[in-house]
Amino acid sequence: MHLRQLRPDATLVNTKSEGDVLFGCPPEIVKKFDFGQAPNIIVLTDEFVNNGHLMNEVEFPVYANYYLQGGKRVKYVGTAEQIERAKAILEQTLFWPEDAPEGKEGIEFFGGKHPSGRALTVDDFAEFITVNPGESTDIGRVKLAHKDKGRWAVYEYTRKLDRHKRIKLVGTVDTTKFTPPSEKDTPFPKIPLDPAKFGVTFIGTSSGFDPLNRTTSFILWANGKGIFVDPLADPKSELKRFGIESNDVPYIFLTHCHGDHDSGVLGRVLNGQKTKLITSRVIYETFLKKAKAQAGSDVEKYLEFIAAEPGSNIKIDGVTLEISRAFHPIPTIRFVAEYKDQASKIRRIAYSADTFFVPEKLREIFDGARLQELLSFGQGVDLLIHEAGMAPIHTPADELYKNTPVEKDKIVIVHTGSVPKDVPIKLARAGETIELVPSISSEVAMAMLEALSINPLLGTLPIKSTLGLLRSADLIAFRNSEKIIRKNDPGDHFYIIVSGRVSVHAGRRELAELGKGDYFGEIALLTESNRTASITAKSSGRLLRINKEAFDKILAEVPSFAEELKRVPQNRDALLKIALLQKLSRKVLLALAAKSTEEIHEKGTILIKQGEEGKKLFFILEGEAVATTRDGRIFAPRGPREVLGEISILRNVPTTANVTVTSKKLKALVLTREDVQLLIDTFPGFRFDLEQIIDERLSKI
């Protein structure tokens, strides 16, 4: 078989003369191959980002070829734009900035120079081959023909002589049909994880090459709130897999900018999660440059930067992080986390990050305070999470065992799938939680408040109404598979999920999966009808149950909430027909449905006037409108399922064209400028999608 679908976002084509040609290069794809045997020819996909997922992670094939196959250069094939972006990414990840701390020592020790003595460049690690649509290239006896945007044909010459007459089609690949993994395919466990007050939960524990285990990533719990340390590329799916709600993990700690550590930061932003990023300034600036090349636009506006400079102490939700520098080929930070429990006892957790720890070698490079800092890291902690791997980039497990100043029973090893038999140190397990200070039952009230605050409708209620809602609510527990609501039963309660997951279904057909902060049961109360769907538990959990009297009281106290709640069911299905909105999370979609109002305009109505401040965003449901500029240019009609008015609102510039209704009538759901701003501040992924549309439209003006 010449073609093999490795994943929905990657296809392998086998040739006799040049070996495997890989189409698509998503995160962790090298795990599909034997250690160090990643393909040498890689064709980049048309889109670097698709539906919130990274499609071209260009680093690890370089590492697999250059470092594990004796300096072999990987060949990247793509359009001029794709090649330019791939080079920009590698520039940020392969080299230590000379103006950063330890730049000189890092370059000399980790081999940052060519054998001739000159500095290495990206061209020493990879060969870049530009093939725009309609062009082709020969690599040995293989011809790669770029037939159309993202569509390729692979040929092989059957003879060295007279080769243009002897050519065979090996296969065709359409990268435009590649799809990223879906979070919906990941099951939520039957028992949700109860976050510790202080502790860790391991999400992945191995290296970027291990085919059997996910790459190292974990949650540091700070008073029940999570700090995601170096999140995996699909952070939402992995949290769901272990029963953790994304809203319970508002922070990310980024140790450095290698693809097995930072791809989840971009994934979180693109999937609409507001992200508080804890890292150093030099790492932050590197990430921004790299992410811009990956996403195709600036992502800084979606991040809240929390500076964590080496030598500083920062406080996050009652936990103090003492920041220091690891020793790695690019700038890397690590931490000792400190928490004082209710008995005033100090507990400490340290994480080494990727680092080289062989004292004999370190003494040849450093002296004084810096040497002491590296040799004594983790001393006096209750738990040391330390990486292990191949020197000189990582720390061999036997060297760690011989030289660490930390008691061996307080160490767990990560970044490797195994340890030697003569190294009796515990290996971390994915899904394992180590609690130094467990959660306590008195935190249930806080969980109830959080469930209300993270909902885009309930979170906007006045404090008085929120307190009244909580006082009137019953907190009830449910078991996995329990029937909570049956279709056609009378409706007498409104429910808000505090923890766990439930399924909304009609018979065997699942309509939606709901989690923390979601609500249900409102339709029957609003319309005084029977239940329109069944609700069954998919895990254990807790609910707030509010009776009809209390529910009606809230609606009377806050009429705007009542109106928004009523608009949700009628607008939700209409919005799902808009192509841009189909991939949004349920929370974002509900927020849009609640804020949107329906407008109907007759033929000839001017929806947008050129040169004015944009006041509305239109989602067209029926009819057409045409954009024209003052100099007479006319653009293609905008019809059902399209968006109008986004440029002025997001870029804060005057409108770029007049938009006039050309059909008999036009029906649209409309958001005000203020509501758009509120939504994009709350859900940055929505802003990113609108920005992509803007870039495309401005390129045509």
Side-chain angles (χ1 to χ4, degrees), residues 91-92 94-104 107 282-283 286 289 329-331:
E91 287 280 2
Q92 298 304 318
L94 291 173
F95 308 116
W96 192 312
E98 290 203 38
D99 58 347
E102 291 174 9
K104 184 173 181 290
I107 290 169
V282 67
I283 296 171
T286 297
K289 294 173 187 175
I330 61 173

Side-chain angles (χ1 to χ4, degrees), residues 46 54 59 78 94 123 145 155 165 173 196 239-240 255 263 276 321 330 333 349 354 382 389 421 490 528 582 674 693:
D46 184 55
L54 188 60
E59 296 170 54
L94 291 173
D123 293 307
Y155 302 93
K165 295 182 181 178
V173 179
L239 291 179
K240 184 179 178 184
T255 62
S263 58
K276 299 177 180 180
L321 300 179
I330 61 173
I333 60 171
I349 297 174
D354 285 11
D382 300 284
K421 291 182 179 179
E528 297 186 352
Q582 289 171 357
E674 292 72 27
I693 293 176

Side-chain angles (χ1 to χ4, degrees), residues 517-531:
D518 288 326
Y519 61 82
F520 57 89
E522 80 286 359
I523 294 177
L525 297 184
L526 289 169
T527 60
E528 297 186 352
S529 60
N530 291 340
R531 298 298 191 187

Side-chain angles (χ1 to χ4, degrees), residues 487 503-512 533-534:
K487 186 177 179 180
S503 171
V504 183
H505 59 97
R508 295 184 178 181
R509 183 168 66 94
E510 183 171 75
L511 305 175
S534 297

